[in-house]
Amino acid sequence: MNVKKLVILNIVVLVVLVLGGFAGFYYYNESVNYIKTDYAKVDGQQLVIAAPASGVLTKFDGKVGAQFQKDKVIGKLAVPGEDEPVSIQMPQSGTIVQTNAVENSFVAAGTPLAYAYDFDHLWITANIKETIIGDVKVGQDVDIYIDGYSESKLSGKVEQIGKATASVFSLLPSENADANYTKVTQVIPVKISIADAKGLGIMPGMNAKVRIHK
């Protein structure tokens, strides 16, 4: 091997070692200083706009995308035995995201006519493995990445740590018909505030990734 090839080989080896060192430091730094998961989503308090009585839905203004303040009248019901229409009001301020209402149709009391969310008070629900949940504390800073806007980083804080695993509320039991328990790593839901959505137009249900600062 001539001197030129030896020099090139040494340079290549050195570059590989340097890059490997940087990669090793990066992964070490990430594991020591952060708790990360991509098992997260945008969440919020779902509002149900229901019929307050049984009758014919004569008017309903709750179109998808419409915003209403709390107690705003958004519909009317013609109720048998009532001289005046019964009003349908918004239970809380929010934006309509889905509607099932059909004007001039009969609806029973309690029938959901539409669903809404307060887009000014959304948060992130992140599911953290039970093996590392002990490192999560209320008040920790969080970096948030919404899948639909992956180039933008949002900031938040840990607001609440769940007191039960997500599987407790699952419709699928963790035991089979023979009462044999299948042991799998459980996850704990963690509520994370969003400090500023930066006008991204994030919506409930969007997937997200989070990085919690230890």
Side-chain angles (χ1 to χ4, degrees), residues 51-58 76-87 106-107:
S54 297
V56 175
L57 184 64
T58 58
K76 296 284 188 180
L77 281 170
V79 178
E82 296 286 343
D83 294 332
E84 296 183 357
V86 173
S87 297
F106 181 86
V107 294

Side-chain angles (χ1 to χ4, degrees), residues 121-158:
H121 294 88
L122 298 177
W123 62 82
I124 300 293
T125 297
N127 290 291
I128 306 298
K129 291 181 179 180
E130 61 181 334
T131 52
I132 56 176
I133 194 66
D135 292 328
V136 180
K137 303 289 186 288
V138 172
Q140 286 172 323
D141 293 326
V142 184
D143 300 326
I144 302 166
Y145 302 89
I146 308 298
D147 285 13
Y149 305 97
S150 57
E151 299 301 317
S152 299
K153 182 178 77 171
L154 305 180
S155 298
K157 287 186 180 294
V158 174

Side-chain angles (χ1 to χ4, degrees), residues 34-189:
Y34 304 102
I35 299 166
K36 299 193 297 182
T37 183
D38 57 2
Y39 191 10
K41 66 173 183 175
V42 180
D43 222 334
Q45 180 61 55
Q46 186 183 80
L47 307 175
V48 181
I49 297 91
S54 297
V56 175
L57 184 64
T58 58
K59 180 182 179 183
F60 193 75
D61 297 326
K63 305 299 187 292
V64 172
Q67 300 180 32
F68 299 98
Q69 297 299 311
K70 180 181 178 182
D71 296 329
K72 174 71 175 179
V73 175
I74 64 172
K76 296 284 188 180
L77 281 170
V79 178
E82 296 286 343
D83 294 332
E84 296 183 357
V86 173
S87 297
I88 302 169
Q89 297 176 293
M90 279 290 288
Q92 297 289 336
S93 299
T95 300
I96 305 296
V97 297
Q98 181 183 342
T99 179
N100 306 316
V102 178
E103 290 186 351
N104 299 316
S105 65
F106 181 86
V107 294
T111 300
L113 301 175
Y115 299 90
Y117 283 88
D118 183 351
F119 279 63
D120 292 328
H121 294 88
L122 298 177
W123 62 82
I124 300 293
T125 297
N127 290 291
I128 306 298
K129 291 181 179 180
E130 61 181 334
T131 52
I132 56 176
I133 194 66
D135 292 328
V136 180
K137 303 289 186 288
V138 172
Q140 286 172 323
D141 293 326
V142 184
D143 300 326
I144 302 166
Y145 302 89
I146 308 298
D147 285 13
Y149 305 97
S150 57
E151 299 301 317
S152 299
K153 182 178 77 171
L154 305 180
S155 298
K157 287 186 180 294
V158 174
E159 276 196 349
Q160 179 180 296
I161 301 171
K163 298 303 181 184
T165 66
S167 65
V168 170
F169 308 101
S170 173
L171 296 178
L172 298 176
S174 56
E175 296 182 358
N176 59 27
D178 298 325
N180 293 322
Y181 177 74
T182 303
K183 185 175 181 179
V184 295
T185 301
Q186 300 296 312
V187 293
I188 313 296

